[in-house]
Amino acid sequence: MVRVTVDNLVKKFGQVVAVDHVSFEVAEGSLLTLLGPSGCGKTTILRCIAGLEVPDNGSIYFDGLLVASEKISLPPEKRGVGMVFQSYALWPHMTVFDNVAYPLKIRKMSRSEIKNRVTAILEVVRLAGLEDRYPSQLSGGQQQRVALARALVYDPKVLLLDEPLSNLDAKLREDMRLELKEIQKKIGVTTIYVTHDQIEAIVLSDKIVILDKGRIQQIGTPKELYESPANKFVADFIGFSNLIEGKIVSIDEKSRLTAVDTQIGRLICYTTLNLREGDSVLVAIRPENITFGGEGYKAKIVSTAFIGDALVCRLKVSDITLSAKVHTSLNLSCGDEVYIQLPPAYCKLVKL
């Protein structure tokens, strides 16, 4: 297990700055996710750590050892990294055993050691008994596990995963998230994971780095990001689809309850941010935290969408539109006039 440190990393492609002065650290044995939309620089960062790209500025360290800078770049094979690509990149003419054994063969290990290592890692990824099958005879989830086994079989210092679940269907993807987390914790390898899926990041990660346009927007645990987004981009990206503009009118310093005047009226919110009266802010609330009934804000349902055990409603409140997610037992329909409440505990303030 090693600690990975990325310090002031810059990577350009022509005039385009793909990675713009990015710094973060991955603790030994932990899983850190680089999260963001397409083109935000997350895969480029991963490729710099792997040694597939050379930084234009900044440094990358493994346990304090410099492996990459604009002047020094340790070859990928000498960094001790295992990498799983989005496509899995399995050899179609090789069996499961031979695909997994390939990194050991090119390292000229003995036959007995290769057999022992491959057998052991196939047990870990739950592929024992499938050694003689070819990739075309495997399901998507099994192919993904073969790629993971191949990356882990030679005991890498760092495991790099570039959107490894993106080719799986929704149900299998959900199952594989949990399997990946279990395998990573069992082996204890320091892992950096790239995805654009915020649910995937929250489920898997010890820490998340959120990126946009090559720059870090926020670093934190899943709980920290979920409860206290740093800005509008982060709030929107991790699921706060309701963002209401407002101005702070009062703050209770003891309870941190804050009154905010908005287009739909005065909202009471909870905040840990360093804010003052008169500051312009966004009130962020998730659809599932809007409740119906009581003496709240008058709203009209303008559309509904059935998604299994829940109903997603689009609501017109004053001059703005909000989304609410409720249980189907409420039996709401398009055109209904209702009253909604935005509980203070779930109204998070975000700086503009």
Side-chain angles (χ1 to χ4, degrees):
M1 291 191 295
V2 303
R3 181 182 74 258
V4 178
T5 305
V6 175
D7 182 25
N8 206 33
L9 184 68
V10 176
K11 180 61 184 177
K12 301 176 183 177
F13 296 101
Q15 298 300 311
V16 177
V17 182
V19 181
D20 192 356
H21 298 90
V22 164
S23 299
F24 60 86
E25 187 166 281
V26 192
E28 292 181 10
S30 69
L31 190 153
L32 178 140
T33 294
L34 301 175
L35 174 65
S38 297
C40 71
K42 54 190 186 293
T43 294
T44 301
I45 295 170
L46 202 72
R47 289 175 62 83
C48 287
I49 294 170
L52 303 176
E53 300 285 356
V54 178
D56 292 303
N57 203 354
S59 308
I60 299 170
Y61 301 87
F62 288 2
D63 269 350
L65 173 68
L66 179 65
V67 298
S69 69
E70 67 272 27
K71 295 181 180 179
I72 297 171
S73 184
L74 201 65
E77 64 272 17
K78 293 187 178 180
R79 296 191 188 194
V81 299
M83 190 160 183
V84 178
F85 297 92
Q86 184 175 343
S87 64
Y88 310 148
L90 301 180
W91 298 104
H93 63 287
M94 291 185 181
T95 62
V96 167
F97 185 96
D98 289 335
N99 262 286
V100 176
Y102 185 76
L104 305 181
K105 290 178 179 178
I106 63 174
R107 287 169 173 79
K108 303 189 184 302
M109 291 187 179
S110 67
R111 287 187 178 182
S112 61
E113 186 173 2
I114 289 174
K115 184 176 181 180
N116 290 338
R117 285 198 178 211
V118 172
T119 300
I121 198 64
L122 289 179
E123 286 281 354
V124 171
V125 300
R126 301 176 187 172
L127 288 175
L130 301 182
E131 294 88 346
D132 295 329
R133 292 194 185 180
Y134 290 89
S136 62
Q137 297 173 308
L138 302 176
S139 68
Q142 289 169 333
Q143 290 181 37
Q144 194 274 336
R145 290 201 292 271
V146 173
L148 182 61
R150 185 178 58 188
L152 291 170
V153 71
Y154 58 92
D155 194 23
K157 296 176 182 178
V158 180
L159 177 63
L160 307 176
L161 301 165
D162 189 6
E163 305 218 38
L165 307 183
S166 61
N167 292 326
L168 304 180
D169 62 60
K171 181 63 174 69
L172 185 54
R173 187 168 183 162
E174 187 176 330
D175 292 341
M176 284 306 303
R177 287 174 195 153
L178 300 177
E179 284 199 34
L180 264 177
K181 186 171 185 177
E182 183 181 325
I183 291 167
Q184 190 270 334
K185 291 304 177 188
K186 184 175 183 178
I187 294 175
V189 63
T190 303
T191 302
I192 303 173
Y193 191 100
V194 160
T195 184
H196 63 272
D197 186 323
Q198 54 101 356
I199 298 298
E200 205 165 277
I202 288 171
V203 169
L204 285 168
S205 310
D206 296 303
K207 190 169 283 189
I208 300 171
V209 177
I210 296 185
L211 295 145
D212 183 41
K213 298 176 183 176
R215 295 184 178 182
I216 291 177
Q217 301 298 309
Q218 189 172 359
I219 300 177
T221 64
K223 188 173 187 292
E224 289 168 345
L225 298 178
Y226 193 89
E227 294 184 348
S228 303
N231 55 41
K232 181 179 180 180
F233 175 84
V234 174
D236 184 54
F237 199 78
I238 63 170
F240 283 97
S241 56
N242 297 311
L243 298 170
I244 307 166
E245 293 185 7
K247 184 169 288 189
I248 294 175
V249 292
S250 67
I251 302 174
D252 186 308
E253 296 297 337
K254 187 175 181 180
S255 68
R256 300 304 295 169
L257 288 175
T258 305
V260 182
D261 278 346
T262 73
Q263 289 173 277
I264 67 172
R266 181 161 295 184
L267 297 175
I268 304 300
C269 312
Y270 175 77
T271 185
T272 57
L273 299 176
N274 183 24
L275 297 168
R276 296 179 297 178
E277 290 182 14
D279 283 353
S280 293
V281 292
L282 290 172
V283 178
I285 185 167
R286 296 179 184 277
E288 61 269 26
N289 293 327
I290 293 179
T291 58
F292 285 69
E295 296 181 2
Y297 304 92
K298 190 175 181 180
K300 185 175 182 177
I301 299 176
V302 294
S303 68
T304 61
F306 175 73
I307 54 169
D309 63 347
L311 194 67
V312 175
C313 302
R314 297 286 286 173
L315 306 167
K316 195 72 172 179
V317 190
S318 296
D319 292 326
I320 67 172
T321 302
L322 302 178
S323 294
K325 185 179 179 182
V326 298
H327 196 274
T328 52
S329 61
L330 284 183
N331 196 28
L332 299 169
S333 301
C334 184
D336 286 353
E337 291 191 347
V338 295
Y339 284 91
I340 62 169
Q341 296 187 49
L342 285 68
Y346 296 113
C347 290
K348 308 297 183 180
L349 291 186
V350 178
K351 291 180 178 179
L352 276 175

